[in-house]
Amino acid sequence: MSETTPAPGRTPVDFWFDPLCPWAWMTSRWVLEVEKVRDIEVRWHIMSLAVLNEDKLDELPEEYREMLATTAWQPVRVVTAAWQKHGAEVLGPLYTALGTRFHNRGEGATREAIAAALDEAGLPADLIDYADQEDFEFDAQLRASHKAGIDKVGQEVGTPVIAVPGPDGEEIAFFGPVVTPAPKGEEAARLWDGTLAVASVPGFYEIKRTRTKGPDFSNL
């Protein structure tokens, strides 16, 4: 399916997400806040924690491994099917509907939450059938979208991945930023400006510190 085209004069920001990831959800709400205060337009793409980790399951804690083998596939399959059958423009509204239920409301990635999100996004109810389709019809498209994002930043990252045009016209991609709670207003704009500043420096790779707080959805 073709990508959405940004409005004239607006900078395209490509954002790869897995709907299950609370940190990607937080970053996605931040980048939508940035859309209000900077001339950017977000284009949504799918990546998958299940695909990202499928070759290293033996290295992961048992609880996380079980989640990746089961729950992690269901929402990302439904979102991929919606994208393939109804176009890239449905990704943003469906992601918002899913994330609000999964994370803000604490419903988790249940079939009921996915079905309600489909209804809210105005999408056919039968898309829920893709959640448990093991021989997934759109597996190749899911993996291609995932690979497009990961190829920009390397394998040692997670979700989200963000890509923007650099000062010389080359695309710059980075993982994150990982932040909680999602900044609002000018605070969101300052984080955006700073993120672009460090990402545009040749040879810059990483700033990081240990997370001491979990995802905070209180302002969403």
Side-chain angles (χ1 to χ4, degrees), residues 85-98:
K85 294 172 78 72
H86 300 281
E89 63 273 11
V90 307
L91 288 174
L94 181 55
Y95 183 27
T96 291
L98 288 167

Side-chain angles (χ1 to χ4, degrees), residues 153-220:
V153 290
Q155 291 291 327
E156 300 307 314
V157 301
T159 172
V161 169
I162 297 180
V164 299
D168 59 357
E170 263 190 54
E171 197 169 48
I172 298 167
F174 49 86
F175 161 64
V178 175
V179 61
T180 186
K184 300 289 187 179
E186 262 318 296
E187 187 181 26
R190 287 197 302 272
L191 178 57
W192 176 254
D193 295 341
T195 300
L196 291 188
V198 296
S200 66
V201 174
F204 173 82
Y205 291 103
E206 185 173 11
I207 291 177
K208 190 173 183 178
R209 63 175 177 165
T210 300
R211 290 196 302 264
T212 58
K213 296 180 179 179
D216 178 356
F217 309 118
S218 61
N219 68 342
L220 298 179

Side-chain angles (χ1 to χ4, degrees), residues 54-91:
E54 64 185 353
D55 293 331
K56 47 190 174 187
L57 290 176
D58 291 343
E59 305 168 19
L60 301 174
E62 182 178 356
E63 183 178 354
Y64 190 59
R65 185 168 63 243
E66 290 178 358
M67 182 275 294
L68 289 173
T70 54
T71 309
W73 284 107
Q74 295 173 342
V76 80
R77 283 173 175 157
V78 171
V79 173
T80 301
W83 162 44
Q84 288 298 301
K85 294 172 78 72
H86 300 281
E89 63 273 11
V90 307
L91 288 174

Side-chain angles (χ1 to χ4, degrees), residues 3-116:
E3 292 183 346
T4 55
T5 302
R10 307 197 78 185
T11 299
V13 176
D14 291 299
F15 191 108
W16 279 263
F17 69 94
D18 183 318
L20 197 62
C21 178
W23 296 104
W25 172 247
M26 202 84 62
T27 305
S28 75
R29 300 309 95 180
W30 161 71
V31 82
L32 286 178
E33 187 73 10
V34 174
E35 233 182 12
K36 302 174 185 177
V37 293
R38 292 291 186 267
D39 289 330
I40 70 166
E41 185 166 332
V42 183
R43 300 189 298 194
W44 303 102
H45 307 273
I46 300 164
M47 62 183 296
S48 167
L49 290 171
V51 172
L52 183 69
N53 291 285
E54 64 185 353
D55 293 331
K56 47 190 174 187
L57 290 176
D58 291 343
E59 305 168 19
L60 301 174
E62 182 178 356
E63 183 178 354
Y64 190 59
R65 185 168 63 243
E66 290 178 358
M67 182 275 294
L68 289 173
T70 54
T71 309
W73 284 107
Q74 295 173 342
V76 80
R77 283 173 175 157
V78 171
V79 173
T80 301
W83 162 44
Q84 288 298 301
K85 294 172 78 72
H86 300 281
E89 63 273 11
V90 307
L91 288 174
L94 181 55
Y95 183 27
T96 291
L98 288 167
T100 299
R101 285 170 172 76
F102 291 180
H103 307 301
N104 296 8
R105 299 181 187 173
E107 296 176 17
T110 63
R111 286 181 65 89
E112 291 77 13
I114 297 170

